[in-house]
Amino acid sequence: MSSVSFPEYEVAFGRPDSYYEKYERKNELSHATHYCPGCGHGTAHKMLAEAIDGLAIKDRTVLISPVGCSVFAYYYFDVGNVQAAHGRAPAVATAMKRSHPGSIVISYQGDGDLAAIGMAEIIHAANRGESITVIFINNGIYSMTGGQVAPTTLIGMKSMTTPHGRSVENEGYPLHICELLATLEAPVYIERVGLGDNKQIAQATKAVRKAIDNQVKGLGFSIVEILSPCPTIWKMNAVDSQHWVRDVMEKTFPLGVFCDKTKEAQPHAPHPAAPALTELPKILGIEDEPELEHATKPRKIDIDLHVRVAGFGGQGVLLLGEILAQAGLDAGLHVSWLPSYGPEMRSGTSNCHVRVSSESIDSPLVTLPDVLVAMNEPSLRKFDDSVRPGGWVLYNGDEFPADCYRPDVKVLALPFTKVAHEIGDARAANMVMLGALLEIAEDLPQDAIDQALRQLVKTPKWVELDTRALLRGRELFREKCAVEV
Amino acid sequence: MTKRLMKGNEAVVRAAIMAGCRGFYGYPITPASEITESAAELMPAAGGVFLQAESEVAAINMLYGASSAGIRCMTSSSGPGISLMQEGISYMAGAELPCVIADITRGGPGLGNLGSEQSDYHQVVKGGGNGSYKTIVLAPHSAQEMADLTALAFELADKYRNPVFLLADGFIGQMMEPVEFPQIAVAPKVPDWAVAGTKESRGNLITSLHMDINELEQHLIKLQAKYAQAEREDVMSESYFADDAEIVLVGYGIMGRILKAVTVEAREMGLPVGLLRPITLFPFPKLEIARLTKKAKAFIVVEMSNGQMVEDVRLAVNGARPVEFVNRMGGNVPTHEQVMEVVNRLARELNVTRIQTTEEARLAHV
Amino acid sequence: MTTEQKNDRGKLVVNDSECKGCGLCVEACPVKCIGISDQLNHFGYKTAQYEGARCTGCGICFMVCPEPGALTVWRLVTHHEVVVA
């Protein structure tokens, strides 16, 4: 503030309070901005500062500085400051606003930042209706890097990378951000203003204030595009470049309001209160439960079971494995379950590795299964060779393919799907096979299996059917394989 | 505590929320999508923010915003997405912003495939972004460690004000194992350096920009001091029969599990084999490896990649002992047999001491 | 106008060290009471200069000026002042 004073006068317009008195973050010439004489950024900054002062929101305001000439906006504004990567300010602003909904988050960006590298971020922030304010400075050029073409460069305009002028053939047309964003449903307020003369500047001042006021009212996404002079790169004096905005630039980028839902927009509903910390284990489904009765010191089980289950997607391959692992866990054993994953889950084959052991499990990969549950022929052919000598193959099919026969492996081949169909639903074939498997893994207690079934199978109808299927599998195994075991 | 059967990926978000995480910004990718999906369900229920971003580039920059705001926050992805996040990770390391990133690694380069690889070691441990920075990297080898190391990751991220990675292969993310959780939740607290839209935090600035060359150098010296501190205070590894081993296996993640089985098998045969499993990949357990060179005659590094961690092992061994490398790529997994073959060959060539077999030891004990 | 010396409604104070002499205020001033100095300031700019009279205190120069504190506009405190919102 000036040290002079006039007795009968008062300051009507002076350095806004939301600027720092001195720019201490600036290493040299900290008495003035780094902007060139006549730069539009300075004028736009002043509108921003006046609005922050006028709305009395200095403490709540967070300014996101971009990459470009205004990268140092944080030198000047006495508000919370975050400097973002090139083009990413709307993403940074999104999370800042959502983290502290009471803050006033302003993303200040140039045309390279917003309209080129940051196009995805601005469109999606606008489309989500983020309750932020974006100030978009369009001077049709990359100024900080020395004057290369921008998406907003006028046709025919020369730049360091369009030395013969921007051509439609090579660079396409100037990008109209306001018109583009106005096609979205979510934004509340979109206006293009200019710094081309006094009248334009007065309108721009109002627009900037409105865009921030909308956020104060919690209304939603607001953006103001400001056509802004760059005397240095345009190689004009300040006054000529100001008039060039009005007389030339405006023809390509017409000024006006492209969207204004300020009157009908409803303030965003406040966030529901966060639950108490003590509630979290329950909410996350990880709360400690009282020890179940059957789980209290089960009889000592000595087991080290390696199982591979394989079949078509939809045959319940993964569920079979999961019930086995869950039952092992319920019986107080160490378990692991490892599925095949990815698109193969959805298109054809599926398999999983299951280990149930009284000792801690080293490798969860079952490369040498004790039991292979092959729910179809391709799975049998894929994994038959891997079965440990002395192990078992449970095969879902009328007849075991002769060429898969191994003298050192025991086999139970049955049309399990048909069996399941007979007892109620062909889809229970996996449980009939699990029943047979449980006869091999005879140490696994039945109550643990029952409990696992109830945990993992959701409807009572299926629990009942699966229970019968398991029983049928056990019976079949005993009938057919009593001798071998 | 009650153990629950769940995927490593499902354990991550639960552990994160218990550790005070209230922001998840992500983008789906196999084999990490369960993390994003659990976050979508659980984060809002816990009073936090979940948002599926428009890209990994946006997701990491949303973390930049949430972390600037002083919120414990995380994301998850896999190789191709991590590549896109490297810009933001470099900015966060530069601006000293804590966050947790889970990389559930798949096959690469490029789109690669959905199989499980360990080929993100270089881009994660060595830093894929620009500048003289490091990220702390934790490598779980079980569903339980997916939970435990997630919680630790948030502590370390805040301790060092630096991004921390949870680097797991697809197997560790997809595998279900019993997991137990602490029951006391960490209360979220906005640190005093954050920009939180308050009078108290108004003077704060988050930036990675230091125009003055000397100022930037001072900043970088400060960052290096943090990394040195991590190397002194937060190195973690698991030693499994390594102390008397003459052949030391080195592997992390799922390979750590397989090499445990190999160790047991070799010891059954009377071979003095042990395993060193790095749990922190940065800071790397180089002193521990250097210590093992006194007894060890050789090291075997096993990876599901073209040989990335093996470079760090070789630096730690520093030429004192031969370092063999065993690998598979593309989603294949090195087998017991493949590793045992090298173990047996080295045992012959280096004439290792024959120790009691497991059976002999049992009999001697009886 | 009377011949009696009356106070102007406004006064403009230019901060010589902040002003970069771009001339936007000169162009913007409705009553053309701002000029550019012949002298270079400490930083090598020919700064804006209030001509010492006729300022109405409208503030347009202030809003146009890119520098935060280069211009300060004072307004006469009167009992008849009409505040325009």
Side-chain angles (χ1 to χ4, degrees), chain B residues 10-330:
Chain B
E10 294 166 335
V12 166
V13 172
R14 288 170 171 82
I17 291 172
M18 290 302 283
C21 173
R22 292 294 183 276
F24 190 105
Y25 300 85
Y27 190 83
I29 185 170
T30 305
S33 295
E34 291 87 353
I35 301 182
T36 318
E37 289 164 9
S38 336
E41 188 194 338
L42 299 174
M43 200 53 89
V49 177
F50 168 83
L51 185 59
Q52 181 171 319
E54 57 270 27
S55 67
E56 288 91 345
V57 175
I60 193 71
N61 282 283
M62 288 173 184
L63 287 198
Y64 188 99
S67 186
S68 296
I71 305 295
R72 283 192 166 181
C73 55
M74 77 172 296
T75 188
S76 65
S77 191
S78 189
I82 299 295
S83 303
L84 283 172
M85 289 183 183
Q86 292 293 6
E87 173 199 56
I89 294 166
S90 165
Y91 273 73
M92 291 186 83
E96 297 191 272
L97 290 173
C99 72
V100 174
I101 305 155
D103 176 358
I104 313 301
T105 312
R106 56 187 259 171
L111 218 41
N113 67 19
L114 306 174
S116 197
E117 276 199 344
Q118 295 181 315
S119 50
D120 281 355
Y121 186 96
H122 272 163
Q123 77 154 337
V124 166
V125 178
K126 303 300 175 184
N130 65 303
S132 299
Y133 79 95
K134 289 270 191 191
T135 53
I136 292 167
V137 186
L138 308 177
H141 85 326
S142 64
Q144 183 65 55
E145 276 194 355
M146 286 287 268
D148 297 346
L149 295 183
T150 296
L152 177 65
F154 281 100
E155 295 305 320
L156 293 176
D158 275 6
K159 176 178 176 181
Y160 293 107
R161 284 187 60 182
N162 202 65
V164 175
F165 266 99
L166 194 69
L167 181 63
D169 48 79
F171 288 129
I172 299 298
Q174 293 291 325
M175 177 170 60
M176 274 204 209
E177 285 186 312
V179 185
E180 55 189 15
F181 292 88
Q183 299 291 300
I184 307 292
V186 174
K189 182 179 164 290
V190 175
D192 55 13
W193 51 257
V195 174
T198 58
K199 187 177 172 55
E200 298 70 40
S201 68
R202 200 185 76 216
N204 290 343
L205 165 68
I206 302 294
T207 184
S208 61
L209 179 61
H210 302 270
M211 283 302 279
D212 181 81
I213 55 173
N214 291 316
E215 187 190 308
L216 179 58
E217 188 180 44
Q218 285 310 310
H219 175 63
L220 291 171
I221 288 169
K222 180 181 158 204
L223 295 188
Q224 309 318 307
K226 293 198 304 191
Y227 309 144
Q229 184 190 352
E231 296 205 88
R232 286 192 306 275
E233 296 176 10
D234 288 296
V235 182
M236 286 168 68
S237 63
E238 182 191 4
S239 176
Y240 188 71
F241 296 104
D243 278 343
D244 69 340
E246 293 183 21
I247 295 174
V248 175
L249 308 172
V250 188
Y252 68 99
I254 191 72
M255 285 321 307
R257 300 288 290 269
I258 293 167
L259 295 179
K260 277 185 181 174
V262 172
T263 302
V264 171
E265 201 178 319
R267 293 221 162 224
E268 275 169 7
M269 293 160 52
L271 295 171
V273 171
L275 165 67
L276 194 275
R277 175 175 72 92
I279 297 173
T280 51
L281 299 176
F282 178 80
F284 194 68
K286 51 190 181 189
L287 294 180
E288 181 65 6
I289 288 176
R291 188 179 70 80
L292 292 175
T293 57
K294 294 193 177 72
K295 182 85 185 173
K297 292 182 172 165
F299 290 77
I300 304 174
V301 179
V302 191
E303 287 181 77
M304 286 157 28
S305 75
N306 60 338
Q308 303 191 7
M309 182 183 70
V310 66
E311 293 179 2
D312 281 334
V313 177
R314 287 197 169 115
L315 282 170
V317 170
N318 199 18
R321 298 286 181 268
V323 177
E324 296 265 340
F325 178 61
V326 177
N327 76 324
R328 290 298 300 273
M329 295 184 284

Side-chain angles (χ1 to χ4, degrees), chain A residues 281-296:
Chain A
K282 188 161 189 297
I283 290 167
L284 303 176
I286 55 168
E287 77 278 28
D288 279 349
E289 284 167 0
E291 294 280 305
L292 294 167
E293 247 179 63
H294 79 94
T296 52

Side-chain angles (χ1 to χ4, degrees), chain A residues 222-303:
Chain A
S222 299
I223 181 170
V224 178
E225 174 177 345
I226 303 177
L227 303 184
S228 181
C230 177
T232 301
I233 301 292
W234 292 357
K235 299 185 175 69
M236 296 178 197
N237 69 39
V239 172
D240 288 349
S241 64
Q242 186 187 45
H243 293 163
W244 199 77
V245 166
R246 181 191 62 197
D247 300 337
V248 181
M249 234 183 142
E250 195 195 328
K251 288 191 171 62
T252 299
F253 296 107
L255 306 189
V257 176
F258 294 85
C259 158
D260 188 354
K261 299 174 191 156
T262 333
K263 290 208 169 61
E264 59 270 31
Q266 294 299 314
H268 288 203
H271 285 242
L277 289 181
T278 48
E279 291 296 304
L280 285 181
K282 188 161 189 297
I283 290 167
L284 303 176
I286 55 168
E287 77 278 28
D288 279 349
E289 284 167 0
E291 294 280 305
L292 294 167
E293 247 179 63
H294 79 94
T296 52
K297 284 294 147 217
R299 68 191 165 87
K300 176 87 178 96
I301 304 170
D302 191 13
I303 195 171

Side-chain angles (χ1 to χ4, degrees), chain A residues 149-211:
Chain A
V149 72
T152 45
T153 299
L154 305 188
I155 293 167
M157 189 172 164
K158 286 185 180 172
S159 78
M160 298 303 282
T161 48
T162 51
H164 307 292
R166 177 179 190 155
S167 74
V168 168
E169 292 74 23
N170 208 47
E171 287 84 26
Y173 293 90
L175 204 49
H176 293 78
I177 290 295
C178 286
E179 288 83 342
L180 209 147
L181 294 182
T183 65
L184 305 175
E185 285 176 48
V188 163
Y189 174 53
I190 301 173
E191 180 165 358
R192 182 184 290 125
V193 295
L195 303 180
D197 57 26
N198 290 354
K199 202 173 144 213
Q200 288 191 359
I201 288 170
Q203 179 57 27
T205 307
K206 271 162 61 184
V208 168
R209 166 130 177 179
K210 179 170 174 170

Side-chain angles (χ1 to χ4, degrees), chain A residues 4 6 8-15 19 23 29 31 33 35 38-39 42-43 46 198 201 205 238-239 243, chain C residues 7-8 11 17-18 20 22 24 27-28 43 58-60 62-68 72-77:
Chain A
V4 294
F6 306 101
E8 287 166 83
Y9 290 76
E10 63 185 8
V11 173
F13 300 91
R15 172 192 295 278
Y19 281 120
Y23 316 128
L29 302 177
H31 68 287
T33 70
Y35 295 116
C39 174
T43 311
K46 193 170 271 173
N198 290 354
I201 288 170
T205 307
V239 172
H243 293 163
Chain C
N7 279 335
D8 285 322
K11 279 186 190 297
S17 64
E18 259 192 76
K20 290 172 180 166
C22 70
L24 287 178
E27 173 74 10
F43 303 99
C58 72
I60 291 175
F62 173 82
M63 281 315 295
V64 167
C65 174
E67 286 298 314
T72 307
V73 180
W74 296 71
R75 217 179 250 171
L76 185 65
V77 183

Side-chain angles (χ1 to χ4, degrees), chain A residues 83-141:
Chain A
Q83 198 289 318
H86 198 23
R88 317 301 176 215
V92 175
T94 292
M96 174 60 73
K97 182 69 183 182
R98 288 184 181 227
S99 297
H100 298 300
S103 59
I104 303 299
V105 182
I106 300 164
S107 176
Y108 187 103
Q109 301 178 261
D111 44 10
D113 193 86
L114 182 142
I117 195 166
M119 195 63 170
E121 284 76 11
I122 190 62
I123 287 200
H124 286 275
N127 191 47
R128 288 188 301 261
E130 298 295 346
S131 198
I132 60 172
T133 305
V134 180
I135 305 298
F136 168 41
I137 304 297
N138 176 2
N139 57 19
I141 199 84

